[in-house]
Amino acid sequence: DQMFESKQMPELGGTPSFNTIMFSDIASFSAFSEAMSAPQLVKLLNQYLTAMTEIVIKYKGTVDKYIGDAIVAFYGAPVPLKNHEAKACETALQMNESLEMLRDKWKNDNNNWPELVTNMQHRIGLNSGEIVTGNMGSELKMNYTCMGDDVNATQRLESSAKQWGISIQVSESIYNKSNNDFIFRNLGSIRVVGKTEPINTYELVCRKLELNDKLKTHMEIFEKARGLYLKQKWDDAIIEFKKSNKYEDMFKGRKTNPSLVYIDRCNEFKENPPGTNWDGVYNLTKK
């Protein structure tokens, strides 16, 4: 609308600004491709992508592109948007809720979807930072898209969520702007493959209004265990992480969770101590 009113033709170029980026991806999507025919797969993807895109647009997000089953979106461009970090968090939570409704729909559908469809899970990464948005490509064909190091970091947050067994992983920049309205679990500091600078990551758990006594107890036990872990008190930390693990929701298809991941790390560091100058950063070995 702005371009039409100003009689502006699209041209190559970008504008730097502070935005929130979102990457989402269906878990184990290659298995879907093997188990379903191409027409079935297209029908399934269109249902899923339509439901998720409606939520992104509802919260003023800009859909950048679809990469197969993945969605790339950003908030705050081309039109500036206040509280874009919180809007992205609400988008992610509603995407989880929408997927739950889709699973119920597919279970009762006459299409007789395979079990991996009715148990579908997805992962979402959220991050905010300085990126460039604009028309990129060639003079023959261009796309309105985003680029920058924080875009790459967002993709790593989505992919590394698999290692935690969680659905939504966010950066510290999202946490800092949104922790008054949402509950986050501190996952600690990691260094992703191909990066030298560590990043502090969090799991987006729920809205603050949804916090109950059970969840509060779980978060307190987990954080106590993490404190012992950072002090290199591995055995004490394992005891607390085992307590935390009893509160984890091991839904069908979930292979691990943050409590189990930390137990593995404690055992790993018992065998190979990180040393007295350890900064608490854990180096991921795969994307």
Side-chain angles (χ1 to χ4, degrees), residues 40-73:
Q40 277 184 310
L41 195 61
V42 169
K43 183 176 181 179
L44 178 73
L45 266 183
N46 286 345
Q47 289 184 24
Y48 169 81
L49 293 173
T50 297
M52 300 306 141
T53 301
E54 286 175 350
I55 299 168
V56 173
I57 293 172
K58 176 182 175 182
Y59 288 96
K60 311 298 183 185
T62 300
V63 176
D64 181 341
K65 62 176 74 73
Y66 303 109
I67 309 171
D69 59 305
I71 304 171
V72 185

Side-chain angles (χ1 to χ4, degrees), residues 54-276:
E54 286 175 350
I55 299 168
V56 173
I57 293 172
K58 176 182 175 182
Y59 288 96
K60 311 298 183 185
T62 300
V63 176
D64 181 341
K65 62 176 74 73
Y66 303 109
I67 309 171
D69 59 305
I71 304 171
V72 185
F74 47 87
Y75 297 74
V79 179
L81 183 65
K82 291 183 179 179
N83 303 319
H84 48 77
E85 296 91 349
K87 286 181 169 61
C89 288
E90 185 61 38
T91 298
L93 290 173
Q94 289 198 23
M95 286 172 71
N96 278 357
E97 293 162 359
S98 180
L99 180 56
E100 188 173 346
M101 289 188 286
L102 281 173
R103 286 194 297 263
D104 290 338
K105 173 185 176 297
W106 292 329
K107 284 175 186 175
N108 299 311
D109 205 330
N110 293 328
N111 284 303
N112 296 319
W113 296 105
E115 188 177 7
L116 58 86
V117 171
T118 56
N119 292 327
M120 181 194 286
Q121 300 292 334
H122 62 196
R123 296 184 299 270
I124 300 169
L126 298 177
N127 180 35
S128 58
E130 290 286 342
I131 62 173
V132 174
T133 57
N135 292 310
M136 302 174 200
S138 69
E139 295 291 350
L140 299 175
K141 180 176 175 58
M142 62 184 73
N143 289 327
Y144 185 79
T145 186
C146 61
M147 293 185 73
D149 191 54
D150 279 301
V151 178
N152 299 329
T154 310
Q155 187 174 18
R156 299 295 177 84
L157 286 168
E158 178 272 307
S159 61
S160 63
K162 177 182 180 180
Q163 298 182 44
W164 290 109
I166 63 174
S167 61
I168 310 172
Q169 184 171 210
V170 311
S171 66
E172 189 169 36
S173 57
I174 296 289
Y175 167 80
N176 288 339
K177 290 287 189 177
S178 308
N179 64 77
N180 287 332
D181 300 312
F182 301 93
I183 297 299
F184 297 89
R185 172 167 27 179
N186 190 345
L187 298 175
S189 189
I190 61 170
R191 187 176 288 108
V192 299
V193 177
K195 299 289 184 182
T196 56
E197 290 297 317
I199 55 174
N200 294 322
T201 67
Y202 299 78
E203 176 190 10
L204 173 56
V205 179
C206 65
R207 303 166 186 89
K208 210 145 202 174
L209 293 172
E210 297 167 340
L211 180 64
N212 54 41
D213 291 340
K214 182 180 178 182
L215 181 57
K216 186 177 180 182
T217 300
H218 183 198
M219 295 298 102
E220 289 172 352
I221 294 171
F222 184 86
E223 193 53 34
K224 179 183 177 182
R226 245 183 34 85
L228 293 166
Y229 165 86
L230 291 172
K231 292 177 182 176
Q232 302 191 37
K233 296 182 178 180
W234 313 123
D235 289 325
D236 292 338
I238 288 172
I239 291 171
E240 294 302 318
F241 280 124
K242 284 182 177 178
K243 292 179 185 176
S244 172
N245 184 48
K246 294 177 182 178
Y247 289 88
E248 302 280 4
D249 177 17
M250 291 304 289
F251 50 79
K252 191 165 186 178
R254 191 181 195 187
K255 297 177 182 178
T256 191
N257 62 58
S259 299
L260 292 176
V261 170
Y262 264 108
I263 289 171
D264 288 342
R265 289 183 183 179
C266 288
N267 286 320
E268 177 186 332
F269 284 137
K270 280 176 67 175
E271 294 292 324
N272 300 288
T276 55

